[in-house]
Amino acid sequence: MTCLTTNVPAADTLDIPALRAKYAVERDKRMQTRGQEQYVKVSGEMQDLYATDPHREIEPREPMFDELDVLILGGGFSGLLAAYHLTQQGVTNFRNIDHAGDFGGVWYWNRYPGIQCDNDAYCYLPLLEETGWMPSKKFSDGAEIYAHCKRIAETFGFAEKGVFHTLITSLKWDDAIGRWRVGTNRGDEFRPRFVVMACGVLNMPKLPGIKGIDSFKGKMFHTARWDYDYTGGQHGAPVMDKLKDKRVAILGTGATAVQAVPYLAKYAKQLYVIQRTPSNIDERSNPLTDPEWAASLEPGWQRARQDNFHRAAMEFFQPGEPDLICDIWTEIARNMQAELDAEGYPELSLEEFMARREVMDYRVMERMRQRVESIVEDKETAEALKPWFRFLCKRPLSNDEYYPAFNQPNVKLIDVSATQGLEAMTEKGFVHEGEEIEIDCMIFASGFEVTSDLERRWGIPVIAGQDSQSLYDHWRDGPVTLHGTMTHGFPNQFFMGYIQGGLNSSVTEMIGRQGEHIAHIVATALARGADVVETTKEAQDAYVARFEAMEPDNSAFTLECTPSYFNNEGETKPKWALFRQWGLGWHDFQAMLKDWRDKGDLAGLRVRERVSAD
């Protein structure tokens, strides 16, 4: 099927300087000086938010005292892909440990109504060819994704290696035995040679620091811990009939809320949607997987599709390259390619190309605003729902039911942009523009600690390397690494995530290649009887210098954006920015790592021979 260009307004119909000024006004309206400190840990009913599991009962067990080759901290896609690549390298003496009740990570925890992945499932869900399974549709439901997480563990033989409902309380390097000592809230002590920090980026739920939040007497919960006992319904069948007499508020209008709002609107007596910044939301075509198409795919199809998606979302299509994804993520690149194709692909400098792409960005966002107007009947509400920012200032979304929900009489938008967030909560509800609005339930769709400091994101009280040095202090000003996966002073410790490396549009492809690199180092070290490996400071410093010298400067773009987790709530250059990347691109980064591995000498690593455990 041919993917067509979209019907965006012509460039000469837009006053781009005026739009740029409007974007700046809307950004400034929402800016505040507290940054990540506007999100806090609260006491009272929500104080155990992180550890509480509403989905599965925590069963008692005896403490474990295991000596392992590898302990993987995490059971989501990062942990699963680390385990998969270790298994492929012949390393099997490992465990995954997680505070969830099963494998799945965010897809274990997130069970809110309407949950689906919001980018192409054929790219996002890893190891499709390796497991011989296909998603049922373009955007998989959450239950299907959770099942695939378990499928990966079962298919590759490590399902029984999971240790669940367990929180890490300390992680300390013991140089005398060349192992980590890992303590938990279940009384365990694991002694692995290697530790993989596969904690994920959607790990720690965050809550807004609203004045009076602890005084509210009604029900409160976070979307990552959805309470179906309160709402009625269940995961995959959200018939929330217990809300028929309830006044409900949901705080947040990002990826989660956009999916949950239509269901809340359907069942709640009254729904208040509390919005600081609107999202850009396109229509969602979600066709079922065509069996004939699936049967026609050649080996290597998933990697080819991921490459196509990456070029569209973060780089640009090659001349004549089809858009295999055909959704909101690839629209700008698709439209750009059609224009250049019609012009015979003129020679453009990078500056000229980016200037034209910026114009297409404005045209696409204007189409988004026109979409709001065409659906939402109340003019004031429609105006408040319009996204006034550049395309990648917030995560692009798609949903067919979100905007129509605001045409229902029981749904009201509460725009809190003028106060940069909700003013206050009371015993009975919340305060907006000086008026108390009574509710029975407050649902926080406030996301996760994505770019905040590690202490907040990981929730592990102590991570200590050589000479008891704290990793949190070591990375106080941001990460310093070799290849984005190791850091000096913390032997046999590896990191996965958005940390100073190559960046891919499919996060699972990115972390999968990190898992491959880590597994190579671990397997090589074990095969040589060299159980202690650590990047030298010289190799680390050389890599960091090279990374920073070629790193693209996105600060001008970031300055234009409304505050969100993409820029750590408005920071110009956040130290944990998601989109720091290898300046020569994803494929150059992977080629560099492959060359390093193929040489086989573990260049830049200090290697120590095996130390017997006491």
Side-chain angles (χ1 to χ4, degrees):
M1 182 179 69
T2 302
C3 183
L4 302 176
T5 57
T6 54
N7 185 24
V8 296
D12 59 9
T13 66
L14 302 180
D15 185 344
I16 290 179
L19 285 173
R20 188 177 288 114
K22 172 69 172 175
Y23 286 10
V25 168
E26 295 296 324
R27 175 203 62 204
D28 293 347
K29 185 193 302 184
R30 294 165 172 85
M31 291 292 288
Q32 54 174 280
T33 59
R34 290 191 297 158
Q36 67 173 331
E37 297 306 319
Q38 67 189 280
Y39 298 99
V40 299
K41 291 183 177 180
V42 297
S43 57
E45 180 182 354
M46 306 269 303
Q47 65 181 347
D48 295 324
L49 168 64
Y50 179 61
T52 299
D53 186 348
H55 310 310
R56 182 171 295 184
E57 184 178 351
I58 300 176
E59 298 180 357
R61 64 169 176 81
E62 293 298 316
M64 303 173 68
F65 301 93
D66 285 1
E67 288 195 349
L68 303 163
D69 285 333
V70 187
L71 183 65
I72 302 169
L73 274 60
F77 277 136
S78 293
L80 287 163
L81 290 167
Y84 165 76
H85 284 288
L86 286 170
T87 301
Q88 297 303 295
Q89 291 281 350
V91 179
T92 58
N93 182 24
F94 66 82
R95 286 191 178 278
N96 291 79
I97 188 167
D98 202 295
H99 70 293
D102 198 355
F103 289 103
V106 71
W107 297 105
Y108 174 88
W109 292 113
N110 271 359
R111 305 192 186 193
Y112 58 81
I115 181 172
Q116 296 178 338
C117 59
D118 60 8
N119 61 329
D120 186 79
Y122 311 114
C123 290
Y124 174 65
L125 299 184
L127 304 177
L128 294 182
E129 291 185 75
E130 293 82 355
T131 58
W133 177 80
M134 285 291 283
S136 64
K137 50 191 173 183
K138 178 176 171 63
F139 300 105
S140 287
D141 295 331
E144 183 172 86
I145 301 173
Y146 172 39
H148 185 57
C149 292
K150 297 201 293 182
R151 178 181 297 106
I152 291 170
E154 291 162 359
T155 300
F156 300 105
F158 55 86
E160 301 305 316
K161 296 180 183 291
V163 179
F164 299 114
H165 281 152
T166 301
L167 286 165
I168 303 297
T169 55
S170 64
L171 192 65
K172 299 179 180 179
W173 173 252
D174 188 334
D175 202 57
I177 61 173
R179 291 179 179 268
W180 287 88
R181 294 183 182 271
V182 184
T184 79
N185 67 332
R186 308 295 290 269
D188 310 306
E189 184 184 75
F190 297 99
R191 297 203 297 178
R193 293 194 182 277
F194 300 91
V195 169
V196 179
M197 306 297 290
C199 307
V201 293
L202 303 179
N203 172 53
M204 181 68 71
K206 67 182 180 184
L207 292 169
I210 304 170
K211 178 182 178 181
I213 189 172
D214 291 332
S215 67
F216 181 59
K217 301 300 184 183
K219 179 68 177 179
M220 294 191 296
F221 60 86
H222 192 281
T223 52
R225 303 292 189 272
W226 195 273
D227 191 339
Y228 281 108
D229 286 341
Y230 180 84
T231 65
Q234 59 185 344
H235 186 36
V239 181
M240 298 183 293
D241 49 4
K242 292 184 180 180
L243 297 180
K244 63 183 179 182
D245 61 347
K246 298 293 192 296
R247 300 159 299 177
V248 178
I250 183 167
L251 189 149
T253 52
T256 295
V258 163
Q259 296 181 107
V261 160
Y263 289 86
L264 292 169
K266 180 178 180 180
Y267 291 102
K269 175 183 178 181
Q270 175 67 47
L271 176 64
Y272 299 101
V273 180
I274 303 171
Q275 170 190 278
R276 180 183 67 172
T277 308
S279 292
N280 46 325
I281 308 164
D282 201 5
E283 62 184 85
R284 169 166 288 200
S285 175
N286 195 12
L288 297 176
T289 299
D290 180 354
E292 291 186 9
W293 169 76
S296 73
L297 296 170
E298 299 290 338
W301 70 266
Q302 188 176 30
R303 182 66 59 81
R305 189 178 181 93
Q306 289 168 333
D307 283 347
N308 179 265
F309 177 45
H310 177 70
R311 282 190 290 273
M314 296 194 66
E315 296 176 358
F316 46 85
F317 284 128
Q318 300 300 309
E321 181 178 7
D323 182 355
L324 300 178
I325 310 304
C326 201
D327 61 23
I328 186 175
W329 291 92
T330 61
E331 178 182 5
I332 289 178
R334 184 190 333 140
N335 290 354
M336 282 283 294
Q337 187 192 45
E339 288 192 353
L340 295 175
D341 184 45
E343 298 170 18
Y345 283 93
E347 290 189 12
L348 299 174
S349 68
L350 178 61
E351 291 75 16
E352 290 171 330
F353 179 86
M354 294 307 295
R356 289 188 61 162
R357 185 181 175 91
E358 180 181 4
V359 172
M360 184 59 71
D361 187 314
Y362 279 101
R363 295 168 67 188
V364 167
M365 291 304 294
E366 182 63 23
R367 181 183 73 79
M368 296 291 185
R369 291 187 287 271
Q370 291 176 2
R371 180 171 185 264
V372 178
E373 286 184 343
S374 70
I375 297 173
V376 180
E377 297 167 359
D378 181 76
K379 299 303 181 184
E380 183 178 352
T381 302
E383 192 62 32
L385 287 167
K386 290 180 181 179
W388 297 99
F389 46 78
R390 293 281 299 279
F391 181 73
L392 279 179
C393 282
K394 287 177 68 70
R395 186 174 182 86
L397 305 175
S398 57
N399 191 282
D400 293 336
E401 289 80 37
Y402 181 74
Y403 289 142
F406 291 95
N407 294 331
Q408 296 179 209
N410 65 322
V411 178
K412 182 176 177 59
L413 182 70
I414 304 294
D415 182 2
V416 297
S417 58
T419 51
Q420 300 150 0
L422 197 61
E423 295 168 58
M425 292 188 69
T426 66
E427 289 188 6
K428 297 180 179 181
F430 64 89
V431 177
H432 175 60
E433 296 179 345
E435 175 189 356
E436 183 183 45
I437 299 175
E438 296 187 7
I439 57 173
D440 301 294
C441 175
M442 173 66 81
I443 301 171
F444 295 102
S446 44
F448 298 85
E449 300 275 6
V450 175
T451 55
S452 52
D453 290 341
L454 289 182
E455 294 99 321
R456 293 176 61 146
R457 275 191 275 158
W458 288 353
I460 301 172
V462 177
I463 303 178
Q466 286 182 328
D467 302 321
S468 300
Q469 181 184 14
S470 167
L471 179 66
Y472 300 136
D473 291 337
H474 181 56
W475 281 2
R476 185 64 59 194
D477 297 321
V480 286
T481 69
L482 175 66
H483 301 160
T485 53
M486 300 185 74
T487 191
H488 178 67
F490 295 80
N492 290 13
Q493 186 171 28
F494 302 92
F495 306 93
M496 300 179 72
Y498 292 92
I499 302 175
Q500 209 171 54
L503 190 63
N504 191 278
S505 300
S506 291
V507 63
T508 50
E509 167 66 357
M510 181 181 77
I511 59 180
R513 301 285 70 78
Q514 291 168 356
E516 178 184 42
H517 191 62
I518 291 166
H520 168 85
I521 297 171
V522 170
T524 301
L526 290 176
R528 295 180 184 180
D531 291 345
V532 179
V533 292
E534 175 194 5
T535 179
T536 65
K537 190 172 188 306
E538 293 75 18
Q540 172 187 278
D541 290 349
Y543 174 80
V544 171
R546 187 181 179 199
F547 181 92
E548 292 181 345
M550 67 171 68
E551 182 182 4
D553 182 3
N554 295 322
S555 58
F557 175 79
T558 301
L559 279 170
E560 295 184 39
C561 288
T562 50
S564 73
Y565 71 84
F566 273 23
N567 57 17
N568 201 15
E569 300 302 325
E571 290 186 30
T572 303
K573 192 173 182 180
K575 60 188 176 183
W576 288 104
L578 285 181
F579 302 130
R580 296 188 66 188
Q581 61 180 298
W582 186 255
L584 297 179
W586 168 254
H587 291 95
D588 182 86
F589 183 73
Q590 293 307 310
M592 182 270 292
L593 293 187
K594 184 177 185 303
D595 182 64
W596 184 90
R597 293 193 297 267
D598 288 347
K599 289 179 180 177
D601 57 358
L602 300 180
L605 300 185
R606 178 182 68 87
V607 179
R608 193 173 82 188
E609 296 299 320
R610 179 162 299 174
V611 178
S612 299
D614 60 11

